[in-house]
mmCIF file of all heavy atoms in Angstrom:
data_model
loop_
_atom_site.group_PDB
_atom_site.id
_atom_site.type_symbol
_atom_site.label_atom_id
_atom_site.label_comp_id
_atom_site.label_asym_id
_atom_site.label_seq_id
_atom_site.Cartn_x
_atom_site.Cartn_y
_atom_site.Cartn_z
ATOM 1 N N GLU D 98 59.526 50.514 -51.131
ATOM 2 C CA GLU D 98 58.568 49.653 -50.385
ATOM 3 C C GLU D 98 59.072 49.605 -48.944
ATOM 4 O O GLU D 98 60.171 49.139 -48.658
ATOM 5 C CB GLU D 98 58.581 48.247 -50.971
ATOM 6 C CG GLU D 98 58.252 48.166 -52.484
ATOM 7 C CD GLU D 98 56.859 48.547 -52.859
ATOM 8 O OE1 GLU D 98 55.999 48.715 -51.955
ATOM 9 O OE2 GLU D 98 56.593 48.641 -54.069
ATOM 10 N N ASP D 380 57.028 48.278 -28.350
ATOM 11 C CA ASP D 380 57.751 47.367 -27.454
ATOM 12 C C ASP D 380 57.479 47.819 -26.028
ATOM 13 O O ASP D 380 57.272 47.009 -25.136
ATOM 14 C CB ASP D 380 59.257 47.408 -27.712
ATOM 15 C CG ASP D 380 59.631 46.906 -29.100
ATOM 16 O OD1 ASP D 380 58.920 46.038 -29.626
ATOM 17 O OD2 ASP D 380 60.648 47.418 -29.686
ATOM 18 N N ARG D 383 53.396 47.972 -25.009
ATOM 19 C CA ARG D 383 52.765 46.694 -24.811
ATOM 20 C C ARG D 383 53.184 45.988 -23.554
ATOM 21 O O ARG D 383 52.408 45.210 -23.004
ATOM 22 C CB ARG D 383 52.994 45.783 -26.052
ATOM 23 C CG ARG D 383 52.285 44.462 -26.009
ATOM 24 C CD ARG D 383 50.793 44.685 -26.006
ATOM 25 N NE ARG D 383 50.117 43.515 -25.637
ATOM 26 C CZ ARG D 383 49.883 43.058 -24.429
ATOM 27 N NH1 ARG D 383 50.320 43.783 -23.401
ATOM 28 N NH2 ARG D 383 49.247 41.955 -24.180
ATOM 29 N N ASP D 412 48.392 52.725 -33.973
ATOM 30 C CA ASP D 412 49.649 52.045 -33.647
ATOM 31 C C ASP D 412 49.616 51.444 -32.258
ATOM 32 O O ASP D 412 50.348 50.505 -31.980
ATOM 33 C CB ASP D 412 50.812 53.048 -33.739
ATOM 34 C CG ASP D 412 51.044 53.533 -35.130
ATOM 35 O OD1 ASP D 412 51.546 52.756 -35.966
ATOM 36 O OD2 ASP D 412 50.634 54.668 -35.450
ATOM 37 N N HIS D 416 43.707 49.008 -25.320
ATOM 38 C CA HIS D 416 44.051 47.954 -24.328
ATOM 39 C C HIS D 416 45.394 48.252 -23.642
ATOM 40 O O HIS D 416 45.705 47.684 -22.607
ATOM 41 C CB HIS D 416 44.127 46.598 -24.988
ATOM 42 C CG HIS D 416 42.993 46.275 -25.918
ATOM 43 N ND1 HIS D 416 41.726 46.277 -25.514
ATOM 44 C CD2 HIS D 416 42.965 46.011 -27.244
ATOM 45 C CE1 HIS D 416 40.937 45.959 -26.538
ATOM 46 N NE2 HIS D 416 41.674 45.805 -27.616
ATOM 47 N N SER D 434 35.448 52.739 -18.706
ATOM 48 C CA SER D 434 34.790 52.355 -19.969
ATOM 49 C C SER D 434 35.166 53.424 -21.014
ATOM 50 O O SER D 434 35.563 54.529 -20.685
ATOM 51 C CB SER D 434 33.334 52.268 -19.787
ATOM 52 O OG SER D 434 32.796 53.533 -19.587
ATOM 53 N N GLU F 98 29.801 49.446 -17.028
ATOM 54 C CA GLU F 98 31.013 50.075 -17.492
ATOM 55 C C GLU F 98 32.073 48.979 -17.659
ATOM 56 O O GLU F 98 32.473 48.310 -16.702
ATOM 57 C CB GLU F 98 31.539 51.145 -16.480
ATOM 58 C CG GLU F 98 30.470 52.180 -16.090
ATOM 59 C CD GLU F 98 30.176 53.162 -17.235
ATOM 60 O OE1 GLU F 98 30.837 53.111 -18.300
ATOM 61 O OE2 GLU F 98 29.238 53.981 -17.092
ATOM 62 N N ASP F 380 48.425 39.463 -26.096
ATOM 63 C CA ASP F 380 49.603 38.927 -25.385
ATOM 64 C C ASP F 380 50.402 38.046 -26.361
ATOM 65 O O ASP F 380 51.630 38.131 -26.402
ATOM 66 C CB ASP F 380 49.180 38.031 -24.194
ATOM 67 C CG ASP F 380 48.450 38.804 -23.103
ATOM 68 O OD1 ASP F 380 48.733 40.001 -22.976
ATOM 69 O OD2 ASP F 380 47.572 38.220 -22.443
ATOM 70 N N ARG F 383 51.600 40.109 -29.847
ATOM 71 C CA ARG F 383 52.611 41.081 -29.677
ATOM 72 C C ARG F 383 54.007 40.447 -29.494
ATOM 73 O O ARG F 383 54.997 41.007 -29.825
ATOM 74 C CB ARG F 383 52.296 42.048 -28.508
ATOM 75 C CG ARG F 383 53.274 43.150 -28.331
ATOM 76 C CD ARG F 383 53.311 44.051 -29.560
ATOM 77 N NE ARG F 383 54.477 44.937 -29.601
ATOM 78 C CZ ARG F 383 55.686 44.575 -29.925
ATOM 79 N NH1 ARG F 383 55.940 43.327 -30.383
ATOM 80 N NH2 ARG F 383 56.678 45.450 -29.891
ATOM 81 N N ASP F 412 42.460 46.097 -32.905
ATOM 82 C CA ASP F 412 42.963 45.422 -31.721
ATOM 83 C C ASP F 412 44.391 44.954 -31.923
ATOM 84 O O ASP F 412 45.164 44.744 -30.978
ATOM 85 C CB ASP F 412 42.122 44.204 -31.363
ATOM 86 C CG ASP F 412 40.695 44.585 -30.987
ATOM 87 O OD1 ASP F 412 40.600 45.123 -29.837
ATOM 88 O OD2 ASP F 412 39.778 44.434 -31.736
ATOM 89 N N HIS F 416 51.897 46.156 -37.487
ATOM 90 C CA HIS F 416 53.264 45.936 -37.003
ATOM 91 C C HIS F 416 53.439 44.518 -36.465
ATOM 92 O O HIS F 416 54.544 44.024 -36.332
ATOM 93 C CB HIS F 416 53.649 46.921 -35.914
ATOM 94 C CG HIS F 416 53.344 48.350 -36.245
ATOM 95 N ND1 HIS F 416 53.854 48.990 -37.361
ATOM 96 C CD2 HIS F 416 52.551 49.253 -35.637
ATOM 97 C CE1 HIS F 416 53.374 50.270 -37.407
ATOM 98 N NE2 HIS F 416 52.609 50.416 -36.408
ATOM 99 N N SER F 434 55.376 46.075 -48.170
ATOM 100 C CA SER F 434 54.766 47.393 -47.924
ATOM 101 C C SER F 434 53.274 47.238 -47.898
ATOM 102 O O SER F 434 52.701 46.197 -48.342
ATOM 103 C CB SER F 434 55.160 48.358 -49.057
ATOM 104 O OG SER F 434 54.530 47.915 -50.288
#
Side-chain angles (χ1 to χ4, degrees):
Chain D
E98 305 291 353
D380 296 329
R383 184 61 193 82
D412 295 285
H416 313 301
S434 69
Chain F
E98 306 290 353
D380 296 330
R383 185 61 193 80
D412 295 286
H416 313 301
S434 69

